[in-house]
């Protein structure tokens, strides 16, 4: 599981919420409304996210355009599975019970899947 820092997480949130691929300039403009960041910092963050396999990029007219490789829900699910991987079965079950206890009614209904 590739971890993300706070800035990487914010960039991913921007990409997840965007209906179209984003350039470094697009992401920089969005982030600049929140805080002061160098353009090269945003470029580095996007490059690292691409190397981690979290974003895809395509060269369009000499500028990279970035999109999230997977939907946010899929990334979160993968991270949850990775957290439980290798954990003793009794701890895994206890953790899942504690997690289930925090679910709203609507969320609990989404779990109406059969066990494997």
């Amino acid at each position: 599981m590739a971890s993300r820092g706070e800035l990487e997480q914010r960039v991913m949130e921007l990409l997840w919420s965007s209906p179209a691929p984003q350039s470094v300039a697009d992401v920089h403009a969005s982030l600049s409304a929140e805080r002061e960041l160098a353009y090269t910092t945003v470029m580095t963050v996007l490059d690292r996210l691409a190397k981690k396999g979290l974003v895809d990029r395509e060269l369009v007219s000499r500028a990279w355009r970035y999109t999230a490789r997977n939907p946010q829900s899929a990334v979160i699910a993968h991270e949850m599975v990775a957290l439980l991987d290798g954990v003793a079965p009794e701890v895994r079950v206890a953790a899942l019970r504690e997690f289930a206890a925090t679910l709203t009614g609507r969320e609990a209904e989404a779990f109406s899947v059969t066990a494997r």
Side-chain angles (χ1 to χ4, degrees), residues 55-78:
V55 301
D56 291 323
R57 62 183 169 190
E58 178 183 4
L59 193 57
V60 178
S61 301
R62 298 180 0 181
W64 290 109
R65 298 279 178 176
Y66 294 85
T67 56
R69 179 167 291 172
N70 295 301
Q72 187 176 18
S73 59
V75 172
I76 292 170
H78 175 76

Side-chain angles (χ1 to χ4, degrees), residues 3 5 8-9 21 50 56 58 66 69 73 76 83 94-95 98 103-104 107-108 114:
S3 65
E8 288 180 333
Q9 179 64 28
D56 291 323
E58 178 183 4
Y66 294 85
R69 179 167 291 172
S73 59
I76 292 170
L83 281 172
E98 288 194 37
L103 300 176
T104 65
E107 292 166 340
T114 57

